[in-house]
Amino acid sequence: MSWHALGGSIEQGLAYGVLALGVYLTFRVLQFADLTVDGTFPLGAAVAAVLIVGGTSPVTAVAVAFLAGAAAGAVTGFMHTKMRIAGLLASILTMTALYSVNLRIMGRPNVPLLRQPTIFTMLAERGFDHPLQALVVFGVLALLVKLSIDWFLSTHLGLAVRATGDNPVMIRSLGVNTDSMIILGLAFSNGLVALAGAMIAQYQGYADVGMGLGTIITGLASVILGNALIKPATVFRGTLGALLGAVLYRLAIYFALSAGFAPTDLRIVTAGIVVLALAGPAIKERLAGRKAPTDEELDAIARASGVVPLGARPEQAGKEGM
Amino acid sequence: MLVIKGLTKTFPVGGGSVKIAVDRVDLTVEKGQFVTVIGSNGAGKSTLLNLIAGHHLPDRGTITLDGVDITRWSEHRRAGYIGRVFQDPLQGTAASMTIEENLSMAELRGKRRTLRRGVTPAARARYRELLAPLGLGLEHRLQSEVRLLSGGQRQSLSLIMATMTRPSLLLLDEHTAALDPKTAQQVLELTNRIVTEYRLTTLMVTHNLEHALRLGHRTIMMHEGRIVLDLSGPEREKMTVPDLLKEFSRARGTELLEDRLLLA
């Protein structure tokens, strides 16, 4: 085991943590499985790389990448809400279209950033040149993004976005346009994913049109893994879980590779982890071998909750009680 | 004041034929009037409420609320002026969010939602004051998730959320039907208290004829998409549940007769 490689995994984990936080917004908050991210991750990388090569400052390039990702997320949201295309399909359509867009932006499949100024070289020039530089940069960035999501989801606007994922009927009955909330949530999420793409392109030294493959699975694996360890009872814990999950996921990959897995086998391992995690509740139910509840048990539960099943009128329920 | 004129809604039922859910309904509800709505299943009560709330758009007719024509407004836009409690206690609140977060969202009914902090200490104090009179102890549980509440507690909270901004109109769609009799009674009493105190213009759909007569100022009965009985004043005071049942079969009977005459 090399400490250098281990540190690299944590660096990457924090970098991908920003991506996981984006996926948390759609998957956990909006209850929307958004495959757009497979396109917006390389979109962010492509936009940032091309801008940097063209002479734009790396910080500006990252900001523009965020906006480009947000625009792509809004397109998925628009297709889903205004054109009534199923969410998953709408996101696949945007992702597919983004492949062409990303190639157009870059003009070729790969843009190297060697000997180009990046956020990392900029910091080094200003005296922050240390082996832990990338770790600190990604750590601070991930924390800032986490806190900004925590803050956003506690504002009036953020509460409406959360309620849109929880109970759209209810929040509409309070005068909120749920279509706008879905579009806003998808834009914010994809902006963050593109931002992660822009940062990782500078970290690894290139943008590649193929780097988005499996982004959603990486994000989902991180969110699910993290939330298995930290119950997402509050937003604060939910985002913390997503970050922690992203780091653990990178470490798991590192150990899988050390244990002799071929890098090409990683995707099936990841897919397996996600399937197991998603199937968790169903598997638990099977294993518990639950027996059918008796009438007495059902009555007790109904009495305790104060709810009579729909269809049974109070009058009837009263009579049965006598 | 709610003014409905010639309101009509049909639904396709396949094979090119349509079902008339609401049939040229005229209804005027004065400001502060509490109207109970009864009728058998499929009489058009829920469709009428859904049309008023904007969940469906009518085929014909107009809806005017406090002098403003809202017939073509989107559901969320008119929700700024119309409070609503649903039959299912799960529908009126966001389960994964806390009591105070739910109240905060309701407090902003119809207002622009910005990046201001959702739940402030001042708001918390307001919510405590609002919840304390319920006697459910919810004022001590502001930071509990709503999923932990019982059906009756959730429905009481929904009622508070629907009325806390004193909307121009309150729609109650069998909001006690899914509760056990004792809880239903408590929620009903709360309803009466709030509607009376705030003088809310209210439409309450119920299957319970006794509740329909005992609460509010006026009772309308719907049958096959039309209002077939409209009771208020002394006439309503004298009405008993058996009388109402008689009226109910009479309404149906005469209608059958009319149909026969028309066919002949």
Side-chain angles (χ1 to χ4, degrees):
Chain A
M1 190 201 294
S2 99
W3 288 109
H4 182 71
L6 199 63
S9 295
I10 296 174
E11 264 168 35
Q12 284 177 26
L14 289 169
Y16 282 92
V18 174
L19 184 159
L21 286 167
V23 171
Y24 168 84
L25 266 180
T26 46
F27 182 66
R28 280 274 188 250
V29 176
L30 281 179
Q31 320 272 341
F32 190 112
D34 177 30
L35 265 65
T36 316
V37 295
D38 274 33
T40 37
F41 185 67
L43 172 70
V47 167
V50 167
L51 284 177
I52 288 172
V53 170
T56 310
S57 124
V59 176
T60 313
V62 170
V64 175
F66 175 87
L67 293 177
V75 168
T76 298
F78 185 84
M79 280 200 278
H80 175 54
T81 56
K82 305 297 178 193
M83 298 169 150
R84 301 211 189 128
I85 298 171
L88 197 63
L89 186 57
S91 69
I92 291 173
L93 288 166
T94 311
M95 175 195 84
T96 307
L98 280 176
Y99 188 81
S100 304
V101 172
N102 293 341
L103 277 172
R104 275 280 171 198
I105 290 173
M106 295 198 289
R108 56 203 147 132
N110 189 296
V111 174
L113 284 171
L114 298 170
R115 280 182 296 278
Q116 295 287 346
T118 65
I119 285 192
F120 304 99
T121 62
M122 270 172 66
L123 285 170
E125 273 167 28
R126 284 170 201 203
F128 182 40
D129 192 7
H130 189 273
L132 291 180
Q133 187 211 45
L135 192 74
V136 171
V137 168
F138 284 129
V140 168
L141 179 71
L143 203 65
L144 280 180
V145 170
K146 178 221 176 324
L147 292 176
S148 66
I149 291 178
D150 292 350
W151 165 77
F152 171 69
L153 291 179
S154 76
T155 64
H156 287 301
L157 199 58
L159 289 179
V161 170
R162 283 167 66 196
T164 299
D166 183 301
N167 187 345
V169 173
M170 166 261 184
I171 194 65
R172 229 177 281 132
S173 83
L174 295 178
V176 169
N177 184 346
T178 46
D179 288 357
S180 306
M181 295 305 114
I182 291 171
I183 294 171
L184 177 68
L186 282 167
F188 191 10
S189 163
N190 279 284
L192 291 178
V193 173
L195 186 144
M199 290 300 294
I200 286 168
Q202 296 179 52
Y203 172 71
Q204 66 190 14
Y206 64 89
D208 189 278
V209 75
M211 70 192 272
L213 195 68
T215 302
I216 182 67
I217 297 300
T218 307
L220 283 180
S222 306
V223 170
I224 292 168
L225 201 64
N227 287 168
L229 292 170
I230 301 178
K231 286 267 162 290
T234 59
V235 171
F236 184 88
R237 293 171 64 96
T239 49
L240 188 66
L243 263 187
L244 186 73
V247 174
L248 288 178
Y249 173 72
R250 280 296 137 186
L251 287 176
I253 285 185
Y254 169 72
F255 286 117
L257 288 175
S258 321
F261 272 99
T264 45
D265 290 338
L266 284 180
R267 282 192 201 280
I268 195 170
V269 175
T270 307
I273 293 172
V274 175
V275 168
L276 271 181
L278 290 178
I283 293 170
K284 239 185 245 166
E285 218 167 276
R286 272 281 155 98
L287 292 180
R290 284 185 50 160
K291 63 178 174 57
T294 63
D295 278 344
E296 287 73 26
E297 282 168 346
L298 289 173
D299 287 343
I301 294 166
R303 264 198 305 279
S305 63
V307 178
V308 175
L310 290 181
R313 298 271 159 233
E315 301 89 76
Q316 293 161 358
K319 267 175 216 153
E320 277 163 14
M322 286 182 227
Chain B
M1 188 168 84
L2 173 73
V3 181
I4 290 172
K5 282 196 181 127
L7 201 65
T8 303
K9 180 69 183 175
T10 58
F11 291 109
V13 286
S17 57
V18 294
K19 180 191 185 301
I20 305 178
V22 168
D23 188 3
R24 287 158 287 177
V25 164
D26 294 316
L27 177 68
T28 299
V29 182
E30 297 297 333
K31 204 167 187 65
Q33 195 173 44
F34 182 177
V35 181
T36 57
V37 185
I38 53 174
S40 53
N41 287 327
K45 311 180 299 287
S46 285
T47 309
L48 179 65
L49 254 59
N50 278 328
L51 285 169
I52 297 171
H55 191 65
H56 302 310
L57 286 181
D59 301 338
R60 273 172 61 174
T62 56
I63 305 167
T64 314
L65 185 61
D66 289 346
V68 182
D69 185 346
I70 59 164
T71 314
R72 293 282 140 195
W73 283 23
S74 66
E75 187 175 7
H76 61 85
R77 187 173 170 203
R78 49 180 112 177
Y81 305 89
I82 302 178
R84 201 167 183 201
V85 183
F86 304 93
Q87 178 175 0
D88 182 352
L90 305 184
Q91 271 199 306
T93 44
S96 70
M97 300 172 73
T98 61
I99 293 178
E100 59 185 20
E101 285 169 342
N102 273 276
L103 285 166
S104 163
M105 293 189 286
E107 199 173 30
L108 246 71
R109 171 187 298 283
K111 294 212 187 95
R112 231 170 72 85
R113 283 161 211 263
T114 60
L115 292 177
R116 271 170 211 264
R117 198 161 140 203
V119 183
T120 58
R124 242 172 231 142
R126 280 201 299 282
Y127 303 156
R128 269 193 210 106
E129 226 165 275
L130 202 61
L131 293 174
L134 303 188
L136 296 171
L138 296 182
E139 67 275 17
H140 306 301
R141 300 173 63 188
L142 285 180
Q143 276 157 46
S144 294
E145 280 179 54
V146 168
R147 78 166 90 237
L148 302 170
L149 305 186
S150 70
Q153 288 172 328
R154 273 183 87 158
Q155 205 64 329
S156 302
L157 182 61
S158 303
L159 195 60
I160 296 289
M161 288 167 59
T163 55
M164 67 193 289
T165 57
R166 315 206 175 179
S168 306
L169 180 67
L170 175 64
L171 301 176
L172 306 168
D173 193 355
E174 293 193 56
H175 69 305
T176 60
L179 305 173
D180 69 62
K182 193 170 146 248
T183 315
Q185 196 59 43
Q186 287 164 353
V187 172
L188 213 62
E189 268 157 31
L190 179 65
T191 308
N192 203 22
R193 212 159 73 206
I194 291 174
V195 170
T196 311
E197 190 190 325
Y198 295 173
R199 295 205 185 93
L200 296 176
T201 313
T202 303
L203 281 180
M204 179 177 93
V205 170
T206 177
H207 264 112
N208 188 313
L209 300 184
E210 198 210 310
H211 293 166
L213 286 176
R214 197 164 52 77
L215 288 176
H217 312 109
R218 178 178 171 193
T219 300
I220 60 175
M221 182 191 284
M222 289 192 71
H223 183 61
E224 298 199 335
R226 273 173 254 179
I227 295 174
V228 292
L229 188 70
D230 190 341
L231 291 169
S232 54
E235 194 189 5
R236 180 169 178 266
E237 304 266 301
K238 281 185 290 181
M239 190 65 76
T240 61
V241 170
D243 289 343
L244 206 55
L245 283 169
K246 246 177 261 163
E247 285 292 334
F248 197 42
S249 37
R250 194 184 58 79
R252 292 174 120 167
T254 41
E255 181 141 63
L256 279 176
L257 217 64
E258 274 169 17
D259 284 350
R260 272 187 211 129
L261 285 173
L262 281 173
L263 286 170

